[in-house]
Amino acid sequence: MNRFRVPPLVSVKWLNNLLANVEIMSTSRFKILQSTRNVPASNSNSAEDYPGQRQHIVGSSFFDIDECLDKTSKYKRMLPSEKEFAQYVGNLGVSSKTHVIVYDNSKNFGFGFAPRVWWMFRTFGHKRVSVLNGGLLKWVNEGFGVTPSHETPNVIKPTLFKPVLHPSAVKTFKDMDNNIIDQRFQVMDARSPDDFNGVIPDKTNNEDAKLGHIPGSTNVHYTELLNQERGEMRSEFELINIFQKKGIDLNKPLVATCLTGVTACSLVLAAHVCGKRDVAVFDGAWKEYSDKAKPENIHVKIQ
């Protein structure tokens, strides 16, 4: 692995070998973060009491995606301020020199919340961050060990993290609304085809106030990026073919969106694997767009 270029994805075998190096892991050079989110037990608000939080890779800490956000916004999981992000990750022991490896335990092989955390770090200027390809599911399937608890807060030494926000990585509603006419950038939407096309799904998504999509956007359901047999993201060659078949030109400006700004980051990660490192995210995503857009600017597929 090139010490000067941190890859967007690392394999479970690579991480297992890293963990075996006690000397390296005893330093602050690497930090493993689990970003899974699950519904807490009915009588608890503790992240450690979440049912899905009881298996972890040894030495990992919990990155709470529902804590590290803009708490003043009415829209879910909007980016926090530079100061808030720096304080949060600094308290997890992440410095500006730390290589962060982030994973989650989603059934989609770690491509649930982990890419969102990866994107957040990069948006705040931290390029030393990777997603564990295949997530906890592949880790366990490969026979690597887990522990029932995260690294406890009292053993984490807070450190200094210096963020540098990259505004170009984030698009606003105004940007998206203006783009309908200006067409300055392509838009790809990570939601399911039913949500994108305005088809009422069998199990209604209670988070969706309205169904449909942004005019001119292209549907790339994030699960299309995964190789289910290998339990990891598709190869660069496969990903390029997917984008080409969808009519997406990786040589032109590109923005990703979804429901709440989470799965859009899997599209950003896939494009990054293909060599396109400047894909922006519409942070307010469909929740904000459907709330603010004119009715004529919410398109549905005519059946």
Side-chain angles (χ1 to χ4, degrees), residues 139-158:
W139 178 269
V140 172
N141 288 345
E142 293 291 325
F144 298 130
V146 293
T147 180
S149 62
H150 287 120
E151 188 174 13
T152 54
N154 62 346
V155 301
I156 299 176
K157 182 179 179 180

Side-chain angles (χ1 to χ4, degrees), residues 5-37:
R5 166 103 17 125
V6 172
L9 295 169
V10 294
S11 70
V12 294
K13 183 178 180 180
W14 178 89
L15 181 57
N16 187 59
N17 289 339
L18 179 69
L19 286 172
N21 192 322
V22 178
E23 183 178 351
I24 290 179
M25 292 308 296
S26 64
T27 70
S28 60
R29 289 171 56 190
F30 295 90
K31 188 68 180 179
I32 307 170
L33 300 178
Q34 178 167 339
S35 59
T36 303
R37 174 193 177 273

Side-chain angles (χ1 to χ4, degrees), residues 166-182:
H166 291 187
S168 62
V170 187
K171 293 296 183 184
T172 64
F173 170 78
K174 184 177 180 180
D175 294 329
M176 304 305 288
D177 195 45
N178 289 341
N179 192 63
I180 295 173
I181 301 299
D182 298 341

Side-chain angles (χ1 to χ4, degrees), residues 70-203:
D70 179 0
K71 296 179 181 179
T72 67
S73 175
K74 64 179 285 190
Y75 303 110
K76 285 191 173 183
R77 307 185 187 103
M78 299 283 278
L79 274 178
S81 68
E82 289 177 274
K83 181 179 179 180
E84 290 167 332
F85 186 81
Q87 181 176 5
Y88 187 83
V89 300
N91 286 339
L92 290 176
V94 177
S95 76
S96 298
K97 296 181 180 180
T98 305
H99 180 180
V100 177
I101 299 99
V102 60
Y103 73 97
D104 65 50
N105 71 357
S106 76
K107 64 181 180 180
N108 289 315
F109 302 102
F111 297 101
F113 290 95
R116 171 72 182 188
V117 177
W118 171 85
W119 174 78
M120 290 173 72
F121 270 103
R122 289 188 60 85
T123 298
F124 284 110
H126 190 74
K127 295 182 179 181
R128 301 186 63 80
V129 57
S130 306
V131 171
L132 182 64
N133 200 359
L136 186 64
L137 184 57
K138 188 173 181 67
W139 178 269
V140 172
N141 288 345
E142 293 291 325
F144 298 130
V146 293
T147 180
S149 62
H150 287 120
E151 188 174 13
T152 54
N154 62 346
V155 301
I156 299 176
K157 182 179 179 180
T159 187
L160 179 64
F161 180 89
K162 297 180 180 179
V164 179
L165 177 65
H166 291 187
S168 62
V170 187
K171 293 296 183 184
T172 64
F173 170 78
K174 184 177 180 180
D175 294 329
M176 304 305 288
D177 195 45
N178 289 341
N179 192 63
I180 295 173
I181 301 299
D182 298 341
Q183 297 188 11
R184 294 177 180 269
F185 50 82
Q186 305 164 95
V187 179
M188 54 181 177
D189 190 323
R191 291 176 300 148
S192 72
D194 279 352
D195 284 342
F196 180 85
N197 290 321
V199 177
I200 299 176
D202 292 334
K203 295 182 179 180

Side-chain angles (χ1 to χ4, degrees), residues 221-232:
H221 192 208
Y222 78 102
T223 59
E224 297 180 54
L225 310 174
L226 311 180
N227 185 307
Q228 301 291 338
E229 292 184 3
R230 294 200 307 262
E232 57 189 18

